[in-house]
Amino acid sequence: MRNRSLIAAWMPAALVAALAAAVQAPAANATTNAATASTAARTTASTKAPDKAPSTRAQSTSSGYGITVQRNLELKLRDGRVLRADVHMPTDPATGRPASGRFPVIVGFTPYGKTPSAAVGLSGFGGFNPDLVKHGYIGLMVDVPGTGGSTGKFDLFSPAEAKAGAEVVRWAARLPHSSGKVGMLGLSYVAIDQLFAAAEVGPHSPLKAIFPMAATIDPYRDLFTSGGALNVESPLGLVFGYGVTRVFTPFIEMAHDPAAALRLAYQNLLQAGPFELTFARDMLTNGARRYDNDYWKRRAPERILPKIVKNGVAVYLVGGLYDVFQSGEPLLYSGLQNAAAGRPVGAPMPKNAKASAKYQLLYGPWTHTSMGKDVDMTKLQLQWFDHWLKGRDTGITKTATPLHVKEPGGGSYDSAAYPPANAKPVHLSLRSGGRLTNEGPGAAEPADKISYNLLSNPCTRSTDQFAAGLLSQFVSACTDAQHKNDKDTLTYATAPLTRPMRLSGPIGVTLNATSNRPESQWSLTLEDVAPDGTSTDISGGAQLGSLRAVDAKRSWKGTPGNWIMPYHPLTKASGQKVPVGTPVRYDIQIRPAFTTLAAGHRLRLRVGTADFPHLIPLADLPQLLGGQYTVQHDPQRPSGIDLSVIGAP
């Protein structure tokens, strides 16, 4: 279970199961017409798509189509790489033959193997939703270069991969029976590749709309570090998961040609040196990829959002409060809205900003593998794609508030801006005696002491969150008991609330503290404490002391003198040792929260030094061992938290 959770930090759990199933029976998708699937699974098609896109009107939407599959069509890229694709076509259910008419194409561009990804279903997580084909769409599944049946080099979100995605889009528009309009679908890596393809296609391309679920704006900050503190749990999923997948899936996708499968698997295995082993080395030694640098900047969708807007591609995002990309998904929304309005992508939206319904976000209480739970995602995808690809009035763009929030517990609301216009920064002070109050200290108060501890109790929401939601039952069973008995943290709590408190957006914490070591690490958890003392994790964040430098131009202001969302450069050049024994200010970002605390509950901030196994310092550990910290509470060196609150606290 542990190994599987590491893999699933990047590879959705359902894909793991589908991959295993595909090994045992690499047959056509269960929805495939039986007569056609029997032939398609045994042969490889290398049919070249026609050169010109048809101009006929798209076929009307219907749920009465069947599905047939053409396996391993070959697409030769301009640079010589060969991609292999499966085409899922709507059929006449009476005859099993391809249905007449022209249909838009929905592309899934996946590194997990197109066959197991398509077998997942799950409302298009893997890039393919059979219900869309039944409603009059062509489903096109394509292996990313260097994975599955495709040749080439696999390199995480590289510019070459974006160019390949754009060529796939143009090829899809020329497929037989294509209407010439293209959309893209998928979760996680399959979602992020949509963003890069949408930026690469250029204006007036066949790509009209995408539907990325669980995408990042900055993989370095969202996944690899938290305030510079090294996230080991998720990168292990990448290091091991992608290597295993790349070597394994050629035998599924090329089962008809064992020699070709073996050759691809061997070529993909050789990529472990420049990719997985390089990551592992840099994590262990604080090498180049340990810090934010040009490698990561080229792979951050933040930089290409203006291109997506310029290219006219409509984007419907789906994100989760407990997703690994919890912070980045709202920033993708505000970044697209800002780009559309000509504002800086990384800035907060103005309170009075109008929002374009061309860029929407549905954000709910979901992990990576439960994205969109209890929402009819197929219905939502049909509304989105029918509007942009079939020209139908589905009503999905008739909104002035395209940020849609679903809270834990069932609350929901919509907003135009992020942060929401009616969410105001509220400052609460960390006081001695474990108090969290809206009044700061009038005089110096005793400091609180805490020792560095590498092996914190793993029973936290973050353990489950960065294992992609695979440990939810374990964490829910032990989290509260761990909180009640945790002696290795400091806690600061409000008095019971006299009215509900709705948290809606970014959160920033300021700690003024001393350390007896030249390095420090802070791990924060925000909790909802019920009247009976049971607690629920709301969100969290962390900060490595040596990477505490703040870029004021990129940070979002909170109450006077504080940041609601501090931005840290996290470069090697920005690093600076923690001065021993001298008070230092740490501005720490807590991932955004969208939840309502009931009257009678208390808000509690838990301050610790570790979050095992999510955060493991590796090369920084020698500088951390033996650390003794003190958190200050006085008017000259206050500590506090800035919250985005709708309504008074």
Side-chain angles (χ1 to χ4, degrees):
M1 180 65 178
R2 173 64 178 160
N3 290 337
R4 185 181 176 194
S5 71
L6 293 172
I7 293 173
W10 268 81
M11 184 177 185
L15 288 178
V16 177
L19 189 61
V23 174
Q24 298 175 359
N29 187 283
T31 57
T32 303
N33 175 272
T36 306
S38 176
T39 302
R42 294 195 303 268
T43 62
T44 301
S46 58
T47 306
K48 184 179 180 181
D51 292 330
K52 294 183 179 180
S55 58
T56 52
R57 182 169 55 88
Q59 186 79 0
S60 61
T61 297
S62 168
S63 60
Y65 294 111
I67 305 177
T68 188
V69 185
Q70 289 179 286
R71 301 279 183 200
N72 286 323
L73 275 71
E74 293 185 355
L75 163 59
K76 188 172 183 179
L77 301 178
R78 295 176 182 177
D79 60 11
R81 292 175 295 173
V82 176
L83 306 187
R84 289 185 170 88
D86 291 348
V87 180
H88 301 252
M89 287 289 300
T91 63
D92 183 332
T95 64
R97 296 177 179 176
S100 61
R102 303 290 183 178
F103 306 93
V105 183
I106 305 297
V107 176
F109 196 39
T110 178
Y112 303 122
K114 57 187 181 297
T115 301
S117 293
V120 170
L122 294 179
S123 299
F125 276 20
F128 172 74
N129 185 343
D131 287 333
L132 297 186
V133 181
K134 293 176 183 178
H135 281 80
Y137 288 89
I138 297 172
L140 177 65
M141 291 296 297
V142 185
D143 290 320
V144 163
T147 70
S150 294
T151 68
K153 175 184 176 182
F154 176 79
D155 189 2
L156 183 80
F157 311 134
S158 68
E161 191 166 291
K163 292 181 184 298
E167 288 195 53
V168 167
V169 167
R170 291 188 282 268
W171 188 74
R174 301 194 302 268
L175 284 172
H177 299 284
S178 169
S179 69
K181 293 186 177 181
V182 179
M184 298 185 80
L185 176 66
L187 178 140
S188 192
Y189 198 111
V190 191
I192 299 164
D193 262 353
Q194 294 176 54
L195 298 172
F196 284 109
E200 188 65 30
V201 291
H204 314 297
S205 81
L207 186 62
K208 305 302 179 186
I210 60 177
F211 201 96
M213 298 173 282
T216 179
I217 194 168
D218 184 339
Y220 178 77
R221 284 170 173 77
D222 275 353
L223 192 66
F224 283 83
T225 65
S226 180
L230 188 63
N231 175 359
V232 172
E233 192 176 6
S234 295
L236 280 176
L238 184 149
V239 169
F240 293 111
Y242 285 155
V244 171
T245 301
R246 290 201 316 276
V247 175
F248 199 39
T249 52
F251 296 102
I252 299 172
E253 304 301 344
M254 303 297 289
H256 59 281
D257 191 344
L262 184 61
R263 184 170 60 253
L264 284 172
Y266 176 71
Q267 291 171 351
N268 294 345
L269 178 62
L270 294 180
Q271 294 301 316
F275 185 63
E276 283 89 359
L277 294 182
T278 299
F279 269 104
R281 180 201 66 196
D282 287 356
M283 289 168 65
L284 290 167
T285 64
N286 279 351
R289 295 183 189 178
R290 164 67 176 85
Y291 302 97
D292 196 11
N293 58 16
D294 288 342
Y295 177 89
W296 290 113
K297 286 178 171 57
R298 288 195 299 269
R299 287 158 175 79
E302 180 183 44
R303 69 176 178 83
I304 50 93
L305 297 184
K307 291 185 178 180
I308 296 175
V309 171
K310 183 179 179 181
N311 292 343
V313 181
V315 184
Y316 198 108
L317 301 154
V318 181
L321 180 60
Y322 312 127
D323 183 29
V324 292
F325 302 133
Q326 174 186 353
S327 295
E329 289 150 347
L331 295 177
L332 283 171
Y333 170 81
S334 61
L336 286 166
Q337 295 289 354
N338 281 336
R343 298 185 295 264
V345 166
M349 294 176 67
K351 297 295 185 182
N352 60 350
K354 293 183 179 180
S356 169
K358 197 170 187 175
Y359 313 105
Q360 301 196 32
L361 168 63
L362 174 63
Y363 197 84
W366 307 310
T367 66
H368 204 62
T369 50
S370 68
M371 196 63 57
K373 183 181 179 182
D374 299 325
V375 173
D376 189 339
M377 297 300 289
T378 294
K379 180 179 179 181
L380 198 58
Q381 290 162 18
L382 282 171
Q383 289 177 323
W384 189 247
F385 289 130
D386 280 357
H387 176 87
W388 295 106
L389 304 185
K390 293 187 176 182
R392 304 195 175 280
D393 184 7
T394 64
I396 197 164
T397 59
K398 294 180 179 179
T399 176
T401 53
L403 170 55
H404 316 292
V405 175
K406 292 185 176 295
E407 295 180 323
S412 64
Y413 57 95
D414 297 328
S415 174
Y418 178 73
N422 54 348
K424 302 185 183 304
V426 170
H427 183 80
L428 300 177
S429 295
L430 278 58
R431 306 283 299 278
S432 62
R435 295 171 293 158
L436 190 60
T437 75
N438 57 7
E439 294 181 353
E445 298 178 351
D448 292 323
K449 297 182 179 181
I450 186 171
S451 301
Y452 174 74
N453 179 14
L454 169 65
L455 300 176
S456 62
N457 193 313
C459 204
T460 62
R461 186 184 294 281
S462 64
T463 298
D464 176 51
Q465 180 170 349
F466 290 93
L470 292 180
L471 304 179
S472 296
Q473 291 185 341
F474 165 74
V475 169
S476 64
C478 68
T479 296
D480 183 62
Q482 181 263 334
H483 283 173
K484 286 182 177 179
N485 299 293
D486 193 346
K487 306 300 182 183
D488 297 321
T489 61
L490 304 172
T491 59
Y492 302 90
T494 65
L497 301 174
T498 58
R499 55 188 292 183
M501 176 192 283
R502 171 165 277 175
L503 304 180
S504 185
I507 300 168
V509 170
T510 297
L511 295 180
N512 274 284
T514 63
S515 171
N516 69 333
R517 300 287 291 150
E519 184 61 282
S520 62
Q521 181 170 286
W522 302 92
S523 176
L524 309 181
T525 305
L526 197 63
E527 302 165 7
D528 178 351
V529 184
D532 64 0
T534 59
S535 63
T536 302
D537 288 1
I538 297 173
S539 189
Q543 186 64 49
L544 189 68
S546 60
L547 294 176
R548 64 190 181 278
V550 172
D551 183 345
K553 293 182 179 179
R554 293 293 312 273
S555 299
W556 293 10
K557 292 181 179 180
T559 56
N562 298 303
W563 304 113
I564 196 78
M565 194 177 78
Y567 183 93
H568 304 277
L570 304 182
T571 61
K572 192 167 187 176
S574 71
Q576 50 187 321
K577 290 183 179 181
V578 174
V580 173
T582 301
V584 172
R585 173 170 170 156
Y586 301 95
D587 294 287
I588 307 172
Q589 179 185 354
I590 288 184
R591 296 180 293 275
F594 295 84
T595 190
T596 298
L597 284 74
H601 286 224
R602 293 179 295 140
L603 180 71
R604 184 166 67 192
L605 178 66
R606 186 175 295 275
V607 179
T609 63
D611 186 9
F612 183 85
H614 169 213
L615 303 175
I616 302 178
L618 298 180
D620 302 308
L621 184 59
Q623 303 298 316
L624 288 165
L625 289 175
Q628 301 288 327
Y629 311 148
T630 60
V631 177
Q632 307 292 317
H633 312 292
D634 62 64
Q636 289 73 40
R637 292 182 290 272
S639 299
I641 181 171
D642 269 30
L643 303 158
S644 300
V645 178
I646 296 178

